[in-house]
Amino acid sequence: MLLKQAGGRIGRNAILLALMEEEEEQAVLEHLSALQWRYCKGKVGSMELQKIVAAIETAAKRNGVVSGELYREMHALYHAVIEAMQGVTRGQVELGDLMRTVGLRFAVVRGMPYENEAEGEWIAVALYGTIGAPIRGLEHETIGLGINHM
C-alpha cells in the first residue's frame, strides 16, 4: 500500500527506504529498480556535520548514485544533504558546538520523478534517527528530507 502511494514521488521513496529495516526493504528496492532509479542507504553517527556529509557523499559515489567527477552532481547532492540536515536539526545546522550528536540512517535516491523527461533527474536525501545530548538515552527521534535537481 505504501509503495502504491509512493509511486514516482522521489522524496517519499527516499523516506520509506531510510525508515525500513533490512528485512522490510525488499519491496522498496524492487519498486526503485522498476522505476530505474539509483539509490543507496547507510548509517552515520557523529557530532560533526562534515563527517555526516562525507559519509553520505562517499556512499552515493561508491554505489554509483552520483559521479564524483561531475561537480553538478556533487553540488546537487551536497545541497540535498544540507536541506535534510536542516530538518534533523530544526533549522540550526550545528551539532557538536551545541553539545548534540546524531545517529542516523540515510537513503539517497536519484531518478526522474516527472512524466515530462525534460524535467530531468532529481536527487533526494532522507535522514532518520536520533538527536540529543551526547549521553545515551537522552536523545529523541528526528527526520529530515532534502530534494534537489541534478
Side-chain angles (χ1 to χ4, degrees):
M1 179 68 165
L2 286 174
L3 288 177
K4 185 176 181 182
Q5 293 173 346
R9 293 178 183 247
I10 197 163
R12 186 170 180 149
N13 279 286
I15 290 170
L16 286 172
L17 187 56
L19 291 174
M20 298 282 176
E21 299 291 341
E22 283 186 40
E23 59 274 4
E24 301 172 310
E25 71 185 20
Q26 191 58 40
V28 176
L29 298 179
E30 289 172 6
H31 178 69
L32 293 173
S33 294
L35 291 170
Q36 298 181 336
W37 288 3
R38 291 182 264 175
Y39 55 86
C40 69
K41 69 181 291 184
K43 296 179 181 179
V44 62
S46 183
M47 288 179 75
E48 299 177 42
L49 178 63
Q50 57 268 42
K51 288 184 179 180
I52 296 164
V53 173
I56 296 169
E57 286 181 348
T58 299
K61 286 189 284 188
R62 283 189 181 155
N63 288 281
V65 178
V66 295
S67 169
E69 305 296 317
L70 294 174
Y71 173 72
R72 69 178 177 82
E73 292 191 6
M74 295 305 297
H75 186 76
L77 175 60
Y78 173 80
H79 280 286
V81 171
I82 296 302
E83 184 179 350
M85 282 302 297
Q86 287 176 340
V88 165
T89 60
R90 298 181 183 172
Q92 300 172 342
V93 187
E94 294 183 67
L95 294 170
D97 292 342
L98 297 178
M99 290 304 295
R100 19 184 220 187
T101 187
V102 293
L104 302 168
R105 291 192 300 213
F106 64 85
V108 181
V109 176
R110 175 181 178 170
M112 297 181 69
Y114 296 102
E115 289 184 25
N116 182 348
E117 289 187 16
E119 296 292 348
E121 288 188 298
W122 290 69
I123 194 160
V125 174
L127 306 172
Y128 170 75
T130 59
I131 187 169
I135 302 167
R136 187 170 298 282
L138 296 181
E139 65 273 335
H140 59 80
E141 288 176 291
T142 187
I143 193 165
L145 174 65
I147 301 174
N148 206 340
H149 56 87
M150 294 300 290

